[in-house]
């Protein structure tokens, strides 16, 4: 067997005789995947043995749970723009990946997961730690495949990375039997550049482009809603040029946040259940709705029976399956938005809509008076989540990557965090996975090591993956962890208060001493509960060049407004 680890060549046509396990490692390096997250076990041990031999070229991060490996890989992918990689063994190791895989699927995050499997002669025999991970993961992967012969590894690995990163990105799972890892093959590698019948980048229709331009030129009250497609398509500059030339006000879904700087004059805030008052209400007043790289999720639209019925709709989308799925498009531009935005910007005229913009300003003033002032400049003695976010803005100048978990703190952070550059908002959008933020922040920091990374987490979600403090400790990853502690599963409690007559069933948390736990992992740690101490506490955290934990004790029963009740119209948005 060839044991020379120094001669790895890109797309090498010359074959070498190696094991399947070594072929996996060499294939990862061919795809420039030099950082992987995982947890070893019996069925994937041959791959880990080869990983040990290649540790000078491929850095492995030992997470404390396989779910943590997937979320860390997601965070890495979201900030680096590369494919995240996670490794796990068979059985429970593989099934523990499923939540992160499902999260990556619905949020279009490129990820390759590699699982070990029992030997091929044991498949279907209920062998120890055998699980049909292919069957289990089929609904939540972009593609999956089980390898039973070592000779399949180079081609399947190349396909896996191509499928994960091309078109609308997503997770791929490759399951490799243990005998295929030991078996030898004549190894050579060729990157995948295309697959028959798979068209990841549809060609833009010139006819549809002309129709879209005509609708824009005719509109009196146009409105843009953009999503993560702008970021995934690396189309931030094209999007900004379109917004500035068209003069059209624009709002974002939570995954689209940071594609356009927060303080840009055309950025009118967030749409959706806890979005801003003006963009939600005016969705049902605009005469043209331009949706870019978003999928009309129910948390954005509310009741589809009343959503933007008065408006013509232009839908710019890469994935044709998303067009006309929830909202009818009068014109669909099915193409890479980097291309379609550039083409449409070249064809439209410079426009301004002063009266329409005034309408946004009027509604913004109402929201400022009824909601935002109280969140950011409270008169009550208890700290608010909004104050904490505002203080983080002060000490990071809008240049930090903010990683959020799921719940009230997520909505508050998305509403009030400031962003100057793209790929700065990392959150679990479509699946809403509690426990996402802590491991995702590890990956986010490793994907953008030069940037400050602040994880903002609720006391409930924090405890779902709190063991990843061990990963931070071992890797010395300089993430800043802020737990906004209200002693409740806050979002569920808010719904119980508003819609279930304050029956707080199983939502109050009896929490441990988070500071003591953090110090047990040798992290710098602090707790703040008084307004006069918040500024200095946040400054000390941001000034540190090491991992840091800060617990902020906030009001126990504060609610997040505005709010659109489930199933209600966006016009039914509540300010209190």
């Amino acid at each position: 067997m060839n044991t020379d680890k120094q001669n790895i060549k890109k797309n090498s046509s010359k074959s070498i005789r190696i094991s399947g396990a070594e072929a996996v490692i060499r294939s990862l390096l061919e795809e420039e995947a030099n950082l992987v997250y995982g947890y070893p076990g019996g069925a994937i041990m041959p791959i880990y043995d080869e990983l040990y031999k290649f540790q000078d070229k491929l850095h492995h991060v030992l997470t404390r749970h396989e779910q943590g490996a997937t979320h860390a890989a997601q965070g890495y992918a979201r900030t680096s723009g590369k494919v995240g990689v996670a490794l796990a063994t068979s059985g429970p190791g593989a099934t523990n990946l499923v939540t992160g895989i499902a999260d990556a699927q619905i949020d279009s995050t490129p990820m390759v997961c590699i699982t070990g499997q029992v030997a091929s002669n044991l498949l279907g025999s209920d062998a120890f730690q055998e699980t049909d991970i292919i069957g289990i993961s089929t609904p939540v992967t972009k593609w999956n495949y089980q390898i039973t012969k070592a000779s399949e590894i180079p081609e399947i690995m190349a396909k896996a990375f191509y499928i994960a990163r091309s078109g609308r990105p997503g997770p791929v799972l490759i399951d490799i039997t243990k005998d295929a890892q030991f078996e030898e093959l004549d190894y050579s590698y060729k990157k995948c550049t295309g697959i028959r019948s798979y068209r990841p980048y549809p060609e833009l229709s010139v006819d549809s482009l002309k129709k879209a331009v005509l609708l824009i030129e005719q509109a009196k009250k146009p409105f843009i809603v953009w999503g993560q497609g702008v970021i995934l398509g690396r189309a931030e500059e094209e999007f900004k040029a379109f917004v500035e030339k068209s003069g059209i006000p624009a709002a974002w879904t939570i995954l689209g946040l940071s594609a356009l700087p927060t303080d840009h004059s055309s950025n009118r805030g967030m749409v959706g259940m806890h979005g801003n008052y003006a963009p939600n209400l005016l969705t049902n007043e605009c005469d043209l709705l331009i949706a870019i790289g978003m999928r009309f999720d129910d948390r954005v639209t509310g009741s589809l029976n009343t959503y933007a019925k008065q408006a013509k709709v232009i839908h710019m989308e890469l994935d044709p399956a998303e067009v006309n799925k929830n909202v009818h498009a009068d014109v669909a531009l099915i193409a890479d938005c980097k291309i379609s935005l550039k083409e449409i910007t070249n064809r439209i005229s410079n426009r301004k809509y002063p009266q329409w913009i005034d309408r946004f300003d009027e509604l913004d003033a109402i929201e400022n008076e009824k909601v935002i002032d109280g969140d950011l400049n409270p008169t009550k003695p208890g700290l608010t989540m909004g104050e904490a976010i505002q203080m983080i803005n002060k000490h990071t100048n809008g240049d930090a990557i903010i990683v959020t978990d799921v719940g009230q703190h997520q909505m508050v952070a998305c509403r009030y965090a400031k962003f100057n550059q793209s790929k700065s908002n990392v959150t679990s959008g479509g699946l809403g996975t509690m426990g996402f933020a802590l491991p995702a922040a590890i990956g986010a920091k490793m994907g953008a090591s030069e940037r400050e990374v602040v994880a903002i987490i609720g006391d409930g979600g924090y405890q779902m993956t709190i063991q990843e403090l061990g990963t931070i400790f071992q890797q010395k990853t300089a993430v800043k962890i802020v737990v906004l502690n209200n002693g409740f599963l806050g979002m569920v409690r808010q719904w119980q208060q508003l819609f279930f007559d304050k029956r707080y069933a199983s939502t109050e948390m009896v929490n441990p001493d988070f500071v003591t736990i953090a110090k047990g992992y040798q992290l710098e740690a602090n707790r703040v509960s008084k307004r006069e101490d918040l500024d200095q506490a946040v400054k000390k955290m941001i000034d540190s060049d090491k991992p840091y934990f800060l617990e902020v004790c906030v009001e126990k029963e504060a609610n997040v407004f505005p709010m659109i009740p489930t199933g209600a119209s966006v016009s039914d948005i509540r300010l209190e």
Side-chain angles (χ1 to χ4, degrees):
M1 185 182 294
N2 189 307
T3 57
D4 178 14
K5 314 302 183 196
Q6 307 302 317
N7 188 27
I8 298 171
K9 297 180 179 179
K10 302 294 177 191
N11 297 321
S12 174
S13 59
K14 183 179 180 181
S15 66
I16 53 176
R17 190 75 176 170
I18 60 174
S19 70
E22 184 176 340
V24 171
I25 302 303
R26 286 182 175 269
S27 299
L28 289 172
L29 292 170
E30 292 279 5
E31 295 292 345
E32 300 178 3
N34 54 8
L35 176 64
V36 299
Y37 302 88
Y39 204 99
I44 201 168
M45 204 171 294
I47 289 175
Y48 268 85
D49 187 55
E50 291 298 332
L51 187 61
Y52 178 84
K53 300 172 187 176
F54 280 88
Q55 59 186 299
D56 59 329
K57 293 183 173 62
L58 202 162
H59 179 57
H60 177 269
V61 176
L62 175 64
T63 57
R64 296 309 188 259
H65 192 284
E66 292 88 354
Q67 182 180 341
T70 54
H71 293 328
Q74 287 177 273
Y76 174 80
R78 296 270 284 273
T79 59
S80 70
K82 299 178 181 179
V83 177
V85 179
L87 308 179
T89 193
S90 63
T95 58
N96 283 343
L97 298 177
V98 172
T99 296
I101 293 171
D103 195 290
Q105 172 79 339
I106 201 165
D107 283 354
S108 304
T109 303
M111 182 166 66
V112 170
C113 294
I114 300 169
T115 53
Q117 184 55 276
V118 300
S120 56
N121 67 305
L122 295 176
L123 291 173
S125 70
D126 291 333
F128 177 68
Q129 290 193 334
E130 181 196 359
T131 299
D132 180 11
I133 193 60
I134 295 297
I136 290 170
S137 66
T138 294
V140 293
T141 50
K142 190 176 178 184
W143 183 61
N144 64 14
Y145 189 89
Q146 186 176 77
I147 293 174
T148 59
K149 298 290 185 183
S151 59
E152 298 179 286
I153 289 172
E155 180 184 359
I156 297 304
M157 289 289 289
K159 281 186 177 181
F161 276 87
Y162 175 71
I163 292 171
R165 67 164 66 99
S166 61
R168 180 180 179 176
V172 171
L173 183 137
I174 303 302
D175 192 42
I176 310 176
T177 61
K178 195 167 184 178
D179 53 322
Q181 297 173 50
F182 279 122
E183 186 182 9
E184 291 190 354
L185 74 154
D186 292 321
Y187 176 82
S188 63
Y189 199 80
K190 182 179 180 181
K191 284 191 176 183
C192 182
T193 57
I195 299 172
R196 189 165 58 114
S197 78
Y198 172 51
R199 296 178 60 233
Y201 302 103
E203 187 174 344
L204 178 63
S205 164
V206 176
D207 184 55
S208 295
L209 186 65
K210 291 178 180 178
K211 291 177 181 178
V213 170
L214 184 61
L215 286 179
I216 292 171
E217 295 295 295
Q218 293 174 340
K220 301 282 194 296
K221 296 188 292 183
F223 179 42
I224 295 167
V225 177
W226 87 85
Q228 189 185 203
V230 174
I231 298 171
L232 294 175
R234 294 176 170 82
E236 293 92 343
E237 289 304 315
E238 289 80 4
F239 176 63
K240 183 181 178 184
F242 171 64
V243 166
E244 291 178 347
K245 185 175 182 181
S246 70
I248 301 174
W252 37 268
T253 69
I254 63 169
L255 290 178
L257 176 56
S258 83
L260 190 69
T262 309
D263 293 333
H264 192 282
S265 59
S266 293
N267 189 335
R268 306 307 305 209
M270 178 170 72
V271 292
M273 180 172 281
H274 290 287
N276 293 102
Y277 193 50
N280 273 309
L281 272 183
L282 297 183
T283 298
N284 280 358
E285 292 185 23
C286 68
D287 58 6
L288 176 65
L289 179 62
I290 305 171
I292 306 173
M294 55 86 74
R295 57 188 180 84
F296 291 111
D297 174 77
D298 64 295
R299 286 296 175 98
V300 167
T301 66
S303 171
L304 287 170
N305 294 327
T306 58
Y307 183 78
K309 292 299 182 182
Q310 79 294 337
K312 296 289 186 181
V313 176
I314 298 171
H315 196 173
M316 298 187 194
E317 174 59 49
L318 183 64
D319 185 355
E322 295 296 347
V323 177
N324 295 320
K325 185 174 81 173
N326 294 323
V327 172
H328 170 73
D330 294 277
V331 177
L333 298 179
I334 304 173
D336 185 338
C337 67
K338 191 176 183 71
I339 296 172
S340 55
L341 281 168
K342 183 177 181 180
E343 291 296 328
I344 208 165
T345 302
N346 288 338
R347 288 167 167 79
I348 61 173
S349 56
N350 292 81
R351 301 289 293 277
K352 292 184 179 180
Y353 306 90
Q355 293 180 319
W356 180 229
I357 298 299
D358 286 346
R359 181 78 173 119
F360 279 85
D361 292 341
E362 291 166 8
L363 295 174
D364 283 348
I366 294 171
E367 183 181 354
N368 283 330
E369 179 184 352
K370 291 185 175 290
V371 177
I372 296 175
D373 284 346
D375 284 348
L376 302 184
N377 303 292
T379 56
K380 296 179 181 179
L383 284 171
T384 68
M385 293 185 182
E387 285 180 280
I389 304 304
Q390 188 177 44
M391 198 60 70
I392 291 168
N393 289 335
K394 174 183 175 181
H395 290 287
T396 61
N397 299 312
D399 293 325
I401 292 169
I402 304 295
V403 184
T404 51
D405 212 78
V406 172
Q408 287 182 316
H409 68 278
Q410 176 192 33
M411 294 297 101
V412 173
C414 287
R415 284 174 53 79
Y416 296 128
K418 300 294 185 182
F419 297 106
N420 296 325
Q421 56 185 301
S422 188
K423 294 188 180 71
S424 296
N425 174 54
V426 179
T427 194
S428 173
L431 197 64
T433 304
M434 292 179 68
F436 171 87
L438 187 59
I442 297 169
K445 180 65 175 178
M446 291 179 173
S449 58
E450 74 287 356
R451 298 186 63 189
E452 192 75 73
V453 173
V454 182
I456 298 169
I457 316 175
D459 49 310
Y462 181 57
Q463 293 178 83
M464 287 191 170
T465 50
I466 195 171
Q467 71 278 355
E468 299 307 332
L469 290 175
T471 308
I472 293 171
F473 169 50
Q474 183 170 350
Q475 297 292 322
K476 298 180 173 58
T477 311
V479 298
K480 310 299 168 61
I481 305 158
V482 178
V483 168
L484 301 181
N485 186 356
N486 60 8
F488 272 103
L489 299 176
M491 185 63 80
V492 183
R493 186 213 56 76
Q494 177 170 337
W495 284 41
Q496 289 172 333
Q497 176 185 335
L498 297 176
F499 308 117
F500 293 88
D501 297 326
K502 296 186 178 181
R503 293 188 295 275
Y504 296 160
S506 302
T507 48
E508 188 166 8
M509 304 286 289
V510 179
N511 291 319
D513 186 331
F514 291 131
V515 170
T516 297
I517 291 171
K519 287 182 177 179
Y521 286 99
Q522 299 186 26
L523 270 66
E524 293 184 69
N526 192 15
R527 178 185 295 113
V528 61
S529 58
K530 296 180 180 178
R531 183 165 293 120
E532 58 267 27
D533 298 331
L534 181 62
D535 191 342
Q536 187 59 34
V538 173
K539 182 180 187 302
K540 184 178 180 182
M541 176 185 71
I542 297 300
D543 286 347
S544 174
D545 60 358
K546 298 176 181 178
Y548 197 104
F549 173 84
L550 177 63
E551 178 184 3
V552 182
C553 300
V554 297
E555 288 183 301
K556 286 180 67 68
E557 297 185 51
N559 291 329
V560 181
F561 287 104
M563 180 180 183
I564 302 168
T566 302
S569 168
V570 292
S571 299
D572 296 327
I573 187 169
R574 297 170 54 170
L575 293 175
E576 56 188 11

